[in-house]
Amino acid sequence: MSTIALDLATDTVVLPAPAFPPGASLEDALKKRRSARAFRADALPLQTLSTLLWAGCGINRRDSGHRTSPSAHNWQEIDVFAVMAEGAYRYDAAGHRLLRVSAEDLRADTGQQDFVGTAPLNLVYVADFARMQDCQPDERSFFAGADAAFVAQNVYLYCASVGLATVVRALIDRRRVATALGLTKAQRIALAQTVGKPVPA
């Protein structure tokens, strides 16, 4: 079943401008923030995907290119890959668009829990160590993990504000996913995060 209405004839998907629901507040999002491990397979609208990705690490200052999530030294080393039934895409924040890296359904590869294979969206947070200049090799993983966590928390708060379920995950076959996404030796998977509509209690 197709989860998100994407044009499969193109390798580039231009996303609509992010749009937040009226009346959403940070206080409400913080009160509602939680992890969930049960997801409906229902489609996520493209508008929802657009706003979610922008909330995670989109550009919020065009003059400087700075993001909604902080990063050490403004390295902006975290790339977000959106893995869906339609394929796997890298989020290009500068163009607010998706760039396809695989036409295969790789959702089940992104984690070791059963729900990842049927949830409509799995985000994979990838750190590009080549962007982390003037950083000691033994500190790269620490900084990259912190920066990926900032993105994940932004996604958590967005999901809480619109009634979506989400959970951040670290149980990942990193070698397998890196091969599937075509990552370089300088790119390392930090975390993954599943998003979907909640299963009614």
Side-chain angles (χ1 to χ4, degrees), residues 3-142:
T3 56
I4 298 175
L6 299 181
D7 181 358
L8 301 183
T10 179
D11 289 334
T12 302
V13 179
V14 178
L15 297 168
F20 289 84
S25 75
L26 177 59
E27 180 183 5
D28 287 341
L30 288 169
K31 288 179 177 178
K32 295 175 182 176
R33 192 225 61 82
R34 65 188 61 207
S35 295
R37 292 169 180 82
F39 304 87
R40 290 160 55 184
D42 297 25
L44 292 180
L46 188 61
Q47 181 65 70
T48 298
L49 178 62
S50 168
T51 308
L52 181 151
L53 290 170
W54 183 88
C57 66
I59 292 177
N60 64 359
R61 286 154 287 176
R62 281 286 166 193
D63 56 336
S64 64
H66 284 68
R67 305 292 187 89
T68 57
S69 57
S71 64
H73 299 272
N74 194 34
W75 283 319
Q76 298 185 11
E77 81 281 9
I78 302 299
D79 283 319
V80 179
F81 288 78
V83 182
M84 302 168 282
E86 297 84 355
Y89 296 78
R90 181 177 63 82
Y91 174 54
D92 171 28
H96 193 57
R97 60 185 182 169
L98 295 172
L99 305 175
R100 186 161 59 188
V101 298
S102 175
E104 296 183 42
D105 182 355
L106 303 174
R107 289 177 296 169
D109 293 336
T110 67
Q112 298 178 22
Q113 297 97 328
D114 291 341
F115 59 78
V116 302
T118 56
L121 175 65
N122 289 290
L123 303 174
V124 179
Y125 302 131
V126 176
D128 188 344
F129 285 3
R131 299 178 198 164
M132 302 174 77
Q133 301 298 318
D134 302 320
C135 183
Q136 296 298 320
D138 61 343
E139 293 182 336
R140 286 176 180 156
S141 294
F142 172 80

